[in-house]
Amino acid sequence: MRVKRFSVLFILMLALHSLFSSFVFAENNVKPNIVSLGDSITYGWNLEGDNSHQSLKAFPYLIGNGKFDVAKNISGGGWTSGQLLTEISKPENLEAIKNADVITLDIGSNDFLQDPNIQTLRNNPTTPKDPVVFKGIIQGISNQLFTNLTTIIATIKAQNPDAYLIVYNIYNPFTDSLASLYPIGELFLPSVNLGIQNVAAQSGSLIADAYTAFKGNQTEYIFHGGDVHPNETGQQVLAELSTSLLAAQVPEAITVSLTPSTTEQTTEPVTITVSSVTKALAMQWIEGEKTIEDFASVDVGTDITDNKFEVTENGTYTVYVRDNKGAKTVTSIKIENISTEDPTPNPDDPGNTPDPNPGDPGNTPDPTPGDTGNNPDPTPGDTGSTPDPAPGDNGNDSNPAPVDTSSPATGDTAAESGNTLPDTASPMYNYLVSGLGLIFAGLIVLKIQNARRRENI
């Protein structure tokens, strides 16, 4: 019974695999990916109760309402800008940044909160503060933060100049039991955020104004009990800032060029290379003259890998490209140089062999110029009664003309074209054969078990 169940299960799995393996998914199944950089806010601290792992309720996972995939969340509890700079310099993180379509950067809160002088103020909020000393402390922290931010952004841009980079400024983290510290945050955060904005603007980055969004709403957006982290509502607000910024961007037009591997006559497939000045998120092709709307369905276009694809027939082919910023375009190319006949001369073809004696249909040199007979005249000038044998008549000739074997054969000959078929094979039949083999094996085992049962009866 187990064998029978296994066989049925395998058949179902095989059928489903065969069905879905032949599907070609179009560009609207391709999601832009996000790489998020930050501290405990980006990590999703306290959203799950257990901070041993990042939370899917953190704002990077909420951006675009599911239209983006978070490829990597490079963040940690308590990270400062200096710690983040160290983390993004790791090879695996640089690779993630290189392949990102959108990058979010939310860092700097811990630069202030972990400073010993600020911690002293947090522990003694009612202690009088010397304004000059306080301003000096804030200025020193800010200068280091701006230096680290500049280096972080430069590292990102060096790896990936095409991605959207969204830089968050710092909201006032003090609320609830820390409400007495709220005025302290308001003393320095406006100037700090102005510096963050200037650093971001120099690199062409987008600014997510978390400070303004949270101002006056800390009680609703931040956990109570002296916590400084956003709750689920606050995380949603942070996500919406990025969603709105990305929706407002107007992508630039894409320039795409198509180059065939050869323009000479050929019997081989022609490879078409697709070149684009921007990073392509989706790239597909369809035979025929098509528009952007023609690629809207999920089962029409064929995905292009490594920026190239092969065609085996003459015709017009349309390529669709969508970049990581949402711009779309189509470009067509006409292929006319694929031949069904081999253009290389074939020495076995009688049409390619030069005639050794032009003008003589038999190709055999005439032994006596001027004599149209097939046998030489034994007595030149003799016009006696014995006529020359009729040309080609050797019925009574004791010495028939020798057969000329120098001419090539003119019968029907199958010539090998040497054409190479494109590799379009599907693994479906391999799976079918493997599945049938397993089914037959199962049947054999089933018969053996039935035979054993009969013996035991």
Side-chain angles (χ1 to χ4, degrees):
M1 191 56 121
R2 291 181 181 177
V3 176
K4 184 181 292 185
R5 289 177 180 174
F6 175 77
S7 301
V8 173
L9 179 61
F10 185 83
I11 291 172
L12 290 174
M13 293 175 61
L14 184 64
L16 290 172
H17 187 279
S18 300
L19 175 64
F20 290 108
S21 65
S22 61
F23 283 177
V24 177
F25 293 96
E27 61 85 14
N28 49 2
N29 283 326
V30 180
K31 290 184 179 180
N33 71 76
I34 294 177
V35 169
S36 294
L37 315 175
D39 50 28
S40 54
I41 297 174
T42 305
Y43 187 94
W45 203 261
N46 288 341
L47 288 171
E48 305 291 347
D50 177 9
N51 292 319
S52 61
H53 61 278
Q54 295 171 338
S55 173
L56 297 181
K57 298 176 183 178
F59 77 87
Y61 302 92
L62 309 178
I63 295 173
N65 301 315
K67 294 182 180 179
F68 296 88
D69 284 329
V70 178
K72 197 162 190 180
N73 187 341
I74 306 170
S75 61
W79 282 11
T80 64
S81 59
Q83 287 174 292
L84 180 62
L85 180 57
T86 300
E87 289 296 322
I88 68 169
S89 300
K90 296 179 179 179
E92 62 273 18
N93 292 333
L94 290 175
E95 185 66 20
I97 291 170
K98 181 180 179 180
N99 296 317
D101 299 304
V102 176
I103 300 171
T104 64
L105 174 59
D106 186 1
I107 198 70
S109 296
N110 288 309
D111 291 53
F112 294 94
L113 293 175
Q114 292 187 15
D115 181 82
N117 297 288
I118 300 298
Q119 287 184 339
T120 299
L121 291 175
R122 289 179 61 182
N123 295 330
N124 303 281
T126 59
T127 301
K129 296 170 288 298
D130 186 327
V132 176
V133 174
F134 181 76
K135 183 178 180 180
I137 293 171
I138 297 301
Q139 190 64 49
I141 300 171
S142 300
N143 289 341
Q144 186 60 56
L145 171 62
F146 299 153
T147 298
N148 291 341
L149 274 178
T150 301
T151 305
I152 290 171
I153 293 175
T155 302
I156 294 170
K157 291 295 184 179
Q159 290 295 312
N160 190 344
D162 296 325
Y164 283 118
L165 175 57
I166 301 174
V167 179
Y168 282 77
N169 61 15
I170 302 172
Y171 65 81
N172 192 327
F174 302 125
T175 186
D176 196 43
S177 62
L178 299 176
S180 59
L181 294 173
Y182 184 87
I184 296 177
E186 291 300 305
L187 283 176
F188 67 88
L189 282 178
S191 60
V192 170
N193 284 330
L194 180 60
I196 293 175
Q197 180 176 335
N198 291 336
V199 171
Q202 292 174 3
S203 62
S205 304
L206 303 173
I207 291 291
D209 190 2
Y211 173 80
T212 300
F214 273 62
K215 188 173 182 178
N217 298 307
Q218 274 80 355
T219 301
E220 299 175 21
Y221 296 166
I222 297 176
F223 285 112
H224 295 170
D227 202 337
V228 297
H229 298 99
N231 54 28
E232 290 186 26
T233 303
Q235 291 284 356
Q236 184 63 59
V237 170
L238 294 176
E240 184 58 36
L241 293 175
S242 284
T243 301
S244 299
L245 285 172
L246 293 172
Q249 303 309 306
V250 178
E252 299 177 358
I254 310 173
T255 302
V256 176
S257 61
L258 307 178
T259 307
S261 56
T262 180
T263 56
E264 301 293 331
Q265 287 294 314
T266 180
T267 58
E268 300 296 323
V270 172
T271 299
I272 300 174
T273 300
V274 185
S275 302
S276 175
V277 295
T278 58
K279 178 183 176 181
L281 178 62
M283 191 179 291
Q284 297 178 325
W285 67 274
I286 301 178
E287 184 175 359
E289 191 84 24
K290 303 295 181 180
T291 64
I292 291 176
E293 289 72 22
D294 291 322
F295 287 84
S297 300
V298 298
D299 57 353
V300 292
T302 300
D303 290 334
I304 297 173
T305 57
D306 298 326
N307 285 44
K308 60 184 63 176
F309 64 99
E310 280 190 349
V311 298
T312 58
E313 297 179 352
N314 290 327
T316 300
Y317 297 89
T318 302
V319 171
Y320 168 91
V321 176
R322 177 163 65 91
D323 70 8
N324 62 320
K325 297 184 177 180
K328 304 175 182 180
T329 190
V330 290
T331 306
S332 298
I333 186 173
K334 192 171 185 179
I335 301 298
E336 301 178 299
N337 59 314
I338 299 178
S339 176
T340 57
E341 297 179 359
D342 194 340
T344 306
N346 187 347
D348 294 330
D349 184 356
N352 295 325
T353 304
D355 193 339
N357 186 8
D360 182 2
N363 291 336
T364 303
D366 194 338
T368 306
D371 182 2
T372 59
N374 290 327
N375 294 317
D377 194 338
T379 308
D382 180 13
T383 58
S385 59
T386 305
D388 289 337
D393 180 12
N394 56 6
N396 297 320
D397 191 352
S398 59
N399 295 312
V403 177
D404 184 4
T405 60
S406 63
S407 299
T410 57
D412 293 336
T413 303
E416 184 178 354
S417 65
N419 294 352
T420 301
L421 294 176
D423 184 10
T424 58
S426 167
M428 184 188 304
Y429 297 104
N430 292 336
Y431 296 140
L432 288 173
V433 172
S434 300
L436 289 173
L438 286 174
I439 292 171
F440 285 130
L443 291 174
I444 293 172
V445 173
L446 185 61
K447 285 190 174 184
I448 293 174
Q449 289 180 345
N450 288 337
R452 289 177 178 175
R453 291 193 189 100
R454 293 192 194 99
E455 292 176 357
N456 294 330
I457 294 175

